[in-house]
Amino acid sequence: MVILPVVVSIVCLKGVWWYNSIKYNVDKVLLDTTQLFYYFLHKTPKMEINRMLMLLGGSFEFWKQYNKDIIERETDDIELTRRMKSLPNLGENKKERPLSLPYSLKARILIHSYLSRIPLDNEGLEYDQRYILARVLRLTEEMISMSQQLTFYTQIKVPIETLDNLLRLQPMFVQALWPKNSPLLQLPHITDHNLPYLRKGRIYSCGDLAALDAEKRRCLLKSLSDEQYRDVLVVLSSMPRLSIQTEILGKFYVTS
């Protein structure tokens, strides 16, 4: 007599699993999000980085209608509106659905805040931001995949500029930097305050700083404590150093 309820439970669980599995592709991205990327890349093959961030923010993974893990708070409107003032190029006046919907704008604000290194000072928004960032690299890979499919299997050719911008997205998220930012900001404790002093010493990259004489380097970073300075040295020492040499082994002539 107990067997029937158990069988029903197993069937229900399998049904739930099957329903959830058909919503995602092999890379665990919602199929609707894949279609969204495909549609907008087909519509506007030439994309700038801000447009790509807008598209990432429109991913259905961040909409409660598609993802029950998303938390919508009554305070979101107030908190997000306050932060929009310090974030240019959000495209909040765009009328394209779903990019104009509140969930998409929220995701975009949190992404821009992260890349601009603006603290949120709100526990709920910080949780939401971490949730988005944990998934954004996978979504970026899906967008790259869609651009490749358009290029190879359709008459729409995605420009090389778009592909280049797509490849810039992943290091942007890893380093929390915009492309225009100095690569020196990757280093711990280095802020915009330090950059003018480093530029005066003709230091524009991490490699330049690593190659400096120890005494000169410490002088340029005198605003850092000894512990902070050691942190900088540890990160610099962990960065790979590549040395490339080229050699022409022979000459080739093309005749017609």
Side-chain angles (χ1 to χ4, degrees):
M1 294 295 180
V2 183
I3 296 177
L4 184 58
V6 173
V7 171
V8 172
S9 298
I10 292 174
V11 171
C12 290
L13 288 172
K14 284 187 175 180
V16 171
W17 172 84
W18 180 83
Y19 175 75
N20 288 328
S21 66
I22 63 172
K23 295 193 300 182
Y24 295 87
N25 65 13
V26 293
D27 297 316
K28 298 182 180 179
V29 175
L30 282 169
L31 293 175
D32 287 335
T33 296
T34 298
Q35 292 175 1
L36 177 75
F37 291 168
Y38 189 91
Y39 169 77
F40 277 101
L41 283 166
H42 187 278
K43 179 183 177 183
T44 53
K46 188 173 183 179
M47 279 196 187
E48 300 297 331
I49 285 178
N50 276 331
R51 176 71 170 175
M52 293 174 181
L53 294 179
M54 187 178 295
L55 189 51
L56 281 174
S59 302
F60 293 121
E61 278 80 353
F62 308 140
W63 193 2
K64 191 173 181 64
Q65 181 174 321
Y66 285 80
N67 185 356
K68 64 180 181 180
D69 293 334
I70 295 298
I71 301 173
E72 295 178 347
R73 302 177 182 84
E74 294 181 358
T75 57
D76 278 354
D77 287 343
I78 298 173
E79 295 291 340
L80 294 172
T81 301
R82 184 161 60 89
R83 285 160 178 79
M84 284 173 60
K85 299 176 182 178
S86 59
L87 296 170
N89 304 318
L90 276 175
E92 64 271 22
N93 296 321
K94 295 285 185 181
K95 301 301 181 183
E96 296 173 292
R97 291 178 64 91
L99 308 184
S100 59
L101 295 178
Y103 87 90
S104 179
L105 181 58
K106 176 181 178 178
R108 206 150 66 239
I109 290 171
L110 297 179
I111 288 172
H112 278 245
S113 297
Y114 169 75
L115 293 174
S116 301
R117 300 190 176 189
I118 297 176
L120 295 173
D121 299 324
N122 181 286
E123 187 176 344
L125 291 181
E126 288 172 355
Y127 173 85
D128 296 338
Q129 187 182 65
R130 289 194 299 271
Y131 185 91
I132 290 171
L133 295 175
R135 288 152 181 80
V136 78
L137 291 180
R138 185 191 306 160
L139 293 168
T140 301
E141 290 174 358
E142 185 67 14
M143 199 182 295
I144 293 172
S145 176
M146 287 299 99
S147 69
Q148 292 172 334
Q149 290 188 35
L150 276 170
T151 299
F152 294 127
Y153 301 116
T154 72
Q155 295 181 348
I156 302 296
K157 302 303 178 185
V158 177
I160 189 67
E161 294 84 359
T162 298
L163 293 172
D164 182 54
N165 287 333
L166 282 169
L167 294 175
R168 290 173 185 265
L169 288 178
Q170 290 184 326
M172 280 172 54
F173 285 114
V174 172
Q175 299 164 4
L177 291 174
W178 293 98
K180 64 181 180 180
N181 292 141
S182 168
L184 290 164
L185 293 174
Q186 299 176 61
L187 298 172
H189 315 300
I190 301 296
T191 65
D192 290 325
H193 170 76
N194 302 104
L195 295 182
Y197 301 99
L198 292 169
R199 292 192 187 107
K200 285 181 181 179
R202 297 187 177 183
I203 305 301
Y204 301 103
S205 69
C206 297
D208 294 338
L209 187 60
L212 258 189
D213 175 80
E215 186 176 344
K216 291 182 179 178
R217 182 169 56 238
R218 188 65 182 101
C219 183
L220 284 173
L221 298 177
K222 60 184 179 182
S223 63
L224 303 184
S225 67
D226 290 340
E227 184 177 354
Q228 290 174 331
Y229 181 67
R230 282 195 295 272
D231 290 341
V232 172
L233 294 182
V234 168
V235 174
L236 284 175
S237 64
S238 67
M239 289 184 171
R241 300 178 185 179
L242 300 179
S243 178
I244 300 175
Q245 295 180 343
T246 60
E247 182 180 358
I248 299 176
L249 299 177
K251 295 183 178 180
F252 298 89
Y253 297 92
V254 178
T255 59
S256 59

